């Protein structure tokens, strides 16, 4: 299996690049943001509690996310691998993810990080908000809160993968095609 963590702040382009990666490499796309939004839309108990955090630009508690990923992995069979988009977002999530994959006889092969500065992120997310319909993409202070959560709680996850020798970083500025080409180079290294 080939399991990749696509990492980067909100607005870095993870969703766009994930789509291109899954088409080219035949991997499964797992996005915790998408899973959470589906729970919110279904008004499930998990969705109702997660919404409180999402509406404030805060991270949803680890135990909720870890349970959700565990369920997803248990219900997924016969895949070539997956793209983890939007998780792990804390070091505790990263530790749990290693255990979940180990239980499946698998592992995370590498993390690919998209680097984009904070000002560019805010601009991009506001632009995305014009069409995404996401309330959290349309309010500048909420976007800044999400970026702050990323810098405080999520950025340290890079260190977790660096210490395992599994970290690669890519410039997230440029055309979608340029960035994708650089991602492909990194993925091909992981396949060797
Ligand atoms: P995203 O679509 O990845 O930007 O996620 C939207 C929102 O969902 C975030 O602002 C968080 O509130 C929540 N969320 C998504 N993934 C996670 C995660 N792995 N850990 C905690 N909260 C998450």
């Amino acid at each position: 299996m080939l399991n990749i963590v696509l990492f980067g702040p909100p607005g870095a382009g993870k969703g766009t690049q994930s789509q291109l990666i899954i088409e080219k490499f035949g991997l499964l796309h797992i996005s915790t943001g998408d899973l959470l939004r589906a729970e919110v839309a279904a008004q499930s108990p998990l969705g109702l509690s997660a919404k409180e955090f999402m509406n404030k630009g805060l991270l949803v508690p680890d135990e909720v996310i870890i349970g959700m990923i565990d369920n997803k992995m248990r219900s997924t069979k016969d895949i070539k691998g997956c793209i983890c988009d939007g998780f792990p977002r804390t070091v505790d999530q990263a530790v749990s993810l290693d255990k979940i994959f180990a239980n499946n006889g698998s592992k995370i092969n590498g993390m690919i990080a998209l680097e984009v500065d904070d000002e560019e992120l805010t601009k991009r997310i506001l632009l995305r908000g014009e069409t995404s319909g996401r309330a959290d993409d349309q309010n500048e202070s909420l976007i800044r809160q999400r970026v702050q959560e990323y810098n405080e709680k999520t950025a340290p996850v890079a260190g977790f993968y660096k210490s395992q020798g599994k970290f690669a970083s890519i410039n997230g500025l440029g055309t979608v095609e340029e960035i994708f080409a650089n991602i492909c180079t990194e993925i091909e290294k992981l396949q060797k």
Side-chain angles (χ1 to χ4, degrees):
M1 287 232 292
L2 179 66
N3 300 307
I4 296 167
V5 174
L6 190 59
F7 191 68
K14 301 187 296 293
T16 306
Q17 295 296 336
S18 290
Q19 289 308 321
L20 298 172
I21 297 169
I22 58 169
E23 276 167 32
K24 179 165 166 123
F25 295 94
L27 304 177
L28 177 73
H29 181 212
I30 305 178
S31 151
T32 43
D34 287 351
L35 292 173
L36 288 168
R37 280 185 288 278
E39 297 282 349
V40 172
Q43 298 190 320
S44 69
L46 191 156
L48 292 175
S49 79
K51 195 176 165 186
E52 302 292 318
F53 296 90
M54 295 166 80
N55 283 348
K56 294 187 187 127
L58 300 173
L59 291 186
V60 173
D62 284 340
E63 42 305 353
V64 175
I65 300 292
I66 292 162
M68 210 172 62
I69 297 170
D70 197 26
N71 279 340
K72 179 76 186 168
M73 293 311 296
R74 282 174 201 276
S75 63
T76 307
K77 300 266 173 291
D78 300 328
I79 55 165
K80 283 166 76 178
C82 65
I83 291 290
C84 304
D85 167 5
F87 72 100
R89 257 177 157 102
T90 63
V91 173
D92 282 351
Q93 288 182 23
V95 171
S96 298
L97 194 62
D98 271 359
K99 288 186 192 144
I100 291 171
F101 275 97
N103 286 341
N104 282 345
S106 183
K107 63 173 184 177
I108 295 290
N109 299 80
M111 165 183 267
I112 300 176
L114 297 174
E115 310 280 354
V116 179
D117 64 78
D118 291 2
E119 284 313 307
E120 171 70 16
L121 294 172
T122 309
K123 270 193 267 167
R124 282 191 190 182
I125 299 175
L126 282 170
L127 192 67
R128 182 172 77 186
E130 291 174 10
T131 52
S132 74
R134 282 176 55 176
D136 64 347
D137 282 350
Q138 295 175 28
N139 172 320
E140 188 161 344
S141 66
L142 208 56
I143 295 170
R144 292 198 185 275
Q145 176 62 54
R146 285 160 66 200
V147 172
Q148 189 180 329
E149 281 282 270
Y150 173 84
N151 287 333
E152 282 173 16
K153 298 181 184 154
T154 305
V157 178
F160 178 84
Y161 290 98
K162 275 181 195 159
S163 70
Q164 296 185 4
K166 292 183 180 173
F167 179 83
S169 123
I170 287 192
N171 183 356
L173 297 178
T175 65
V176 169
E177 294 75 20
E178 281 163 359
I179 299 165
F180 182 55
N182 290 332
I183 291 178
C184 289
T185 305
E186 291 304 328
I187 294 182
E188 279 150 14
K189 283 187 209 162
L190 294 174
Q191 285 178 313
K192 281 179 190 154

